[in-house]
């Protein structure tokens, strides 16, 4: 039987339905999870990523890109806001909206990406919540220790909920 630590009793429900959690013990663990998620994704997937500075959003995005078959080096888009990678199984749109206002984000025409044939991953997505499409997978990285993270998923839409179950995430 698995040892139940205190943090397994954290309440991650945001009030929008079921949330799921997956516990990462290391950076490599997070990478494996992100790669598995990438293999489930289809055109028009939107991943809304949140978590404190240094929680692992970019690390997650890099592994996710690699799971999509992207070979280019994926670096943090903090200053470029949007980076596009076309060499994977699906186009990959990597965004980081930390440095821009909601008004500036609105002018970027993000819906073109969200509704396109690629996969969009937005770091700091909660900052542009009103601009996100109704169907999306929210993922929050919670720092639980020096090398451990809780990956908390809140699916909006049944297709995303199915992925969470397929990934072996636990409902919370
Ligand atoms: N289990 C883990 N999963 C992911 N990253 C981890 C884990 N344990 C340690 N780390 C470390 O946490 C750091 C995460 O950095 P990263 O740039 O991905 O964070 P970020 O959330 O994108 O930050 P920012 O908000 O500044 O963009 C890396 O140095 C990584 O090695
Ligand atoms: Mg980052």
């Amino acid at each position: 039987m698995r040892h139940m630590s205190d943090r397994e009793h954290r309440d991650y429900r945001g009030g929008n339905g079921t949330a799921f959690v997956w516990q990462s013990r290391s950076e490599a663990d997070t990478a494996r999870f992100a790669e598995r998620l990438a293999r489930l994704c289809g055109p028009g997937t939107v991943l809304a990523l949140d978590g404190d500075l240094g929680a692992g959003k970019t690390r997650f995005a890099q592994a996710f890109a690699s799971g999509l078959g992207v070979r280019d080096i994926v670096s943090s888009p903090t200053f470029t806001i949007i980076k596009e990678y076309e060499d994977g199984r699906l186009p990959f749109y990597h965004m980081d909206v930390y440095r821009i206002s909601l008004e500036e984000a609105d002018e970027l025409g993000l819906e073109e990406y969200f509704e396109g044939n690629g996969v969009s991953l937005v770091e700091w997505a909660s900052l542009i919540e009103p601009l996100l499409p109704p169907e999306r997978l929210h993922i929050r990285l919670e720092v639980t220790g020096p090398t451990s993270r809780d990956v908390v998923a809140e699916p909006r839409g049944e297709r995303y909920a199915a992925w969470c179950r397929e990934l072996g995430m636990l409902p919370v």
Side-chain angles (χ1 to χ4, degrees):
M1 182 138 140
R2 219 153 54 92
H3 173 70
M4 296 286 279
S5 66
D6 278 351
R7 62 190 161 85
E8 281 178 282
H9 299 290
R10 284 186 184 190
D11 188 355
Y12 285 126
R13 280 163 299 189
N16 290 297
T18 312
F20 294 83
V21 68
W22 189 84
Q23 292 183 328
S24 163
R25 290 186 177 75
S26 66
E27 190 178 329
D29 248 5
T30 301
R32 275 191 294 270
F33 179 87
E35 284 177 27
R36 286 201 292 135
L37 174 62
R39 290 191 205 105
L40 298 176
C41 289
T45 293
V46 176
L47 301 179
L49 221 58
D50 283 297
D52 291 341
L53 286 167
K57 300 179 293 299
T58 297
R59 190 63 201 91
F60 188 101
Q62 289 166 333
F64 181 85
S66 140
L68 278 181
V70 172
R71 288 164 176 274
D72 289 346
I73 292 172
V74 173
S75 54
S76 174
T78 304
F79 293 98
T80 49
I81 317 298
I82 305 176
K83 280 197 188 167
E84 303 181 30
Y85 300 87
E86 303 285 348
D87 64 323
R89 178 172 69 81
L90 294 164
F92 176 51
Y93 311 128
H94 185 195
M95 307 160 193
D96 185 329
V97 296
Y98 185 65
R99 282 172 191 279
I100 56 173
S101 65
L102 186 58
E103 290 70 31
E104 287 168 324
D106 200 14
E107 284 161 17
L108 291 174
L110 297 177
E111 62 279 1
E112 298 263 333
Y113 292 96
F114 298 152
E115 290 162 12
N117 286 323
V119 177
S120 304
L121 183 155
V122 188
E123 296 192 35
W124 295 100
S126 60
L127 296 176
I128 59 156
E129 180 105 31
L131 303 178
L132 299 174
E135 297 234 337
R136 70 237 185 196
L137 179 61
H138 277 270
I139 294 181
R140 201 168 71 250
L141 297 170
E142 294 273 353
V143 177
T144 54
T147 68
S148 61
R149 305 286 187 265
D150 276 0
V151 180
V152 183
E154 280 183 47
R156 307 283 162 85
E158 185 42 45
R159 124 171 119 144
Y160 293 117
W163 293 357
C164 293
R165 290 188 287 267
E166 203 164 327
L167 288 164
M169 300 186 85
L170 300 173
V172 288

